[in-house]
Amino acid sequence: MSTQKKDIRALTKEQLRAFFVKQGDKAFRGDQVYEWLWQKSAHKFEDMTNISLATRTMLENHFVINHIKVDTLQRSSDGTVKNAVRLHDGLIVESVLIPTKSRTTACVSSQVGCSLDCKFCATARLKRMRNLNPDEIYDQVVAIDKESRLYFNRPLSNIVFMGMGEPLMNYNNVIKAIDKITSPEGLAMSPKRIVVSTSGVPKMIKKMADDGVRFKLAVSLHSAIDEVRTSIMPFNATFPLSDLREALEYWYKKTKNRITYEYVVWDGINDKKKDVEALIQFCKFAPSKVNLIEYNPIDDGEFQQASSEAIDMYTSMLEANNITVTVRRSRGKDIDAACGQLANKT
Ligand code: SAH
């Protein structure tokens, strides 16, 4: 049974080489198997055609490959594809492929469920079951890359960690997955095409800066007023805006990377002039971009998208303060694949 055997992809290349030496084989065999596991993303030992049958059987006896399985795939009328992905222990996460004219983006999950309790997000209702392993994150990207080639005749170009979960609460595994995604031994993608989105865990933002990561950072802000933010994102009571701001200043000083803020404007919650003013105050310390995201209703109507006048007010006030603004339309709404809609409904 798979529970006794070790997941072979938990081994580093060096450990795999050492394993083969211990088995009386050449270290080089480890390199070959490693290539099958990562670059070629083999699902089974029997796929490893340049490895002898005896060696494959030996591997079979020691290890499992806990590859994810795309359980159901849904296609939206706008081209968006949503995968419900089954993990080796039967749990399910979702990932999304978002095609545009110039890019195809994978939106991947980092946890099963989420421990944060954002009032407007469907994933929050699932509660956190567990962290994803690096290979489970990697596999989502590989699956979407394949679908991108199949449906759109081009490889995946970008990755956003905006699926289920809070990536900075599974930091080590997310970093390991990104290492593999960007490595020539994996998918060789540029870190500049990867965005990690966080609700804002100050300590981890500082750690990321110290670690010298090269991917981009997005912060789901939604309000720059503590009272308002705590009412919609309760963990803000633990990590208040002043701590977040301090961590972001640290991040900018170290990385010189522009910060992107994700921001939904809701009717009667954050649609007043004072809300925009607070946002400007919050982000003007560094070059910033604000993505005004369309709200994707998840519930009984407690939250409503703000009026277009409110959005226009945000846009013009931010632009007048030299803050880049984009207004983002949702994708894949008809299949519950849009931001905040991932809730394993299928
Ligand atoms: N926990 C991370 C990663 C999830 S990203 C984070 O918070 O950044 C998902 C993005 O979608 C976040 O910016 C989140 O605030 C936003 N979001 C959540 N629910 C939403 C909804 N119903 N409509 C639009 N955006 C939503």
Side-chain angles (χ1 to χ4, degrees):
M1 259 301 291
S2 60
T3 43
Q4 266 81 36
K5 296 185 206 169
K6 215 176 145 132
D7 176 4
I8 190 165
R9 288 190 297 172
L11 269 56
T12 62
K13 193 174 183 180
E14 277 320 306
Q15 288 169 329
L16 203 53
R17 284 166 62 91
F19 170 80
F20 276 100
V21 172
K22 221 171 111 202
Q23 296 289 320
D25 202 337
K26 296 189 186 69
F28 168 69
R29 202 73 61 218
D31 299 341
Q32 285 180 311
V33 171
Y34 194 84
E35 188 178 319
W36 275 110
L37 291 174
W38 295 105
Q39 209 169 33
K40 299 182 185 159
S41 203
H43 288 218
K44 298 188 246 69
F45 292 111
E46 63 183 77
D47 295 344
M48 305 181 176
T49 44
N50 63 350
I51 308 290
S52 76
L53 180 60
T55 305
R56 281 187 261 149
T57 310
M58 182 275 290
L59 286 173
E60 200 81 65
N61 292 333
H62 281 85
F63 300 108
V64 285
I65 303 174
N66 283 335
H67 216 283
I68 63 159
K69 195 171 153 281
V70 177
D71 234 29
T72 45
L73 183 150
Q74 286 173 279
R75 294 190 73 183
S76 157
S77 52
D78 67 17
T80 303
V81 178
K82 181 168 83 168
N83 291 333
V85 162
R86 187 174 295 276
L87 309 172
H88 68 93
D89 54 3
L91 292 173
I92 303 239
V93 292
E94 293 178 333
S95 22
V96 183
L97 185 173
I98 308 147
T100 64
K101 258 203 195 106
S102 54
R103 42 172 84 175
T104 39
T105 302
C107 175
V108 298
S109 294
S110 56
Q111 298 181 311
V112 187
C114 189
S115 56
L116 304 180
D117 191 22
C118 302
K119 298 301 175 200
F120 47 82
C121 180
T123 307
R125 299 180 178 172
L126 295 175
K127 304 300 165 206
R128 193 195 77 98
M129 312 278 285
R130 70 168 171 87
N131 285 335
L132 292 187
N133 297 323
D135 48 279
E136 292 169 329
I137 297 169
Y138 183 85
D139 289 351
Q140 292 176 65
V141 176
V142 172
I144 291 195
D145 181 45
K146 270 197 192 139
E147 289 164 9
S148 175
R149 290 168 199 266
L150 180 67
Y151 297 129
F152 304 103
N153 289 315
R154 57 192 192 203
L156 183 66
S157 63
N158 296 73
I159 302 172
V160 294
F161 281 79
M162 296 189 187
M164 294 174 165
E166 168 49 50
L168 296 195
M169 291 190 168
N170 184 18
Y171 182 76
N172 288 340
N173 291 350
V174 166
I175 292 294
K176 279 186 192 161
I178 293 177
D179 281 347
K180 283 277 171 4
I181 292 164
T182 54
S183 156
E185 293 182 331
L187 298 176
M189 281 185 68
S190 163
K192 295 201 182 88
R193 292 177 168 275
I194 302 175
V195 178
V196 169
S197 176
T198 177
S199 299
V201 188
K203 195 175 82 186
M204 300 315 291
I205 291 172
K206 286 186 178 168
K207 175 157 174 48
M208 251 173 18
D210 287 339
D211 288 350
V213 301
R214 286 161 53 233
F215 49 77
K216 294 184 181 158
L217 175 66
V219 177
S220 301
L221 195 64
H222 303 307
S223 174
I225 300 173
D226 268 317
E227 228 188 315
V228 177
R229 196 167 192 258
T230 301
S231 73
I232 53 177
M233 302 170 80
F235 74 91
N236 186 72
T238 320
F239 306 121
L241 286 162
S242 54
D243 292 1
L244 176 58
R245 163 73 186 259
E246 190 216 322
L248 291 173
E249 281 185 37
Y250 186 86
W251 161 269
Y252 181 67
K253 240 182 237 148
K254 282 225 153 173
T255 66
K256 292 281 171 276
N257 270 340
R258 177 171 84 166
I259 300 161
T260 299
Y261 297 95
E262 311 288 313
Y263 203 104
V264 180
V265 189
W266 288 285
D267 194 37
I269 292 179
N270 56 356
D271 58 348
K272 301 285 173 319
K273 198 169 166 205
K274 68 171 188 343
D275 297 293
V276 199
E277 283 164 353
L279 173 59
I280 292 165
Q281 280 306 315
F282 186 88
C283 61
K284 71 177 186 188
F285 70 92
S288 303
K289 178 176 158 195
V290 174
N291 278 336
L292 295 176
I293 323 175
E294 189 184 346
Y295 177 56
N296 303 305
I298 57 154
D299 55 20
D300 18 35
E302 187 190 340
F303 289 91
Q304 303 278 352
Q305 167 83 28
S307 65
S308 52
E309 288 77 27
I311 305 286
D312 291 346
M313 172 181 68
Y314 263 90
T315 311
S316 56
M317 284 177 71
L318 289 167
E319 279 172 351
N321 283 275
N322 296 319
I323 297 165
T324 310
V325 198
T326 57
V327 180
R328 273 215 325 236
R329 295 290 324 274
S330 270
R331 304 289 306 272
K333 262 201 215 177
D334 54 340
I335 53 167
D336 284 327
C339 286
Q341 291 189 316
L342 301 184
N344 290 347
K345 271 200 206 164
T346 38

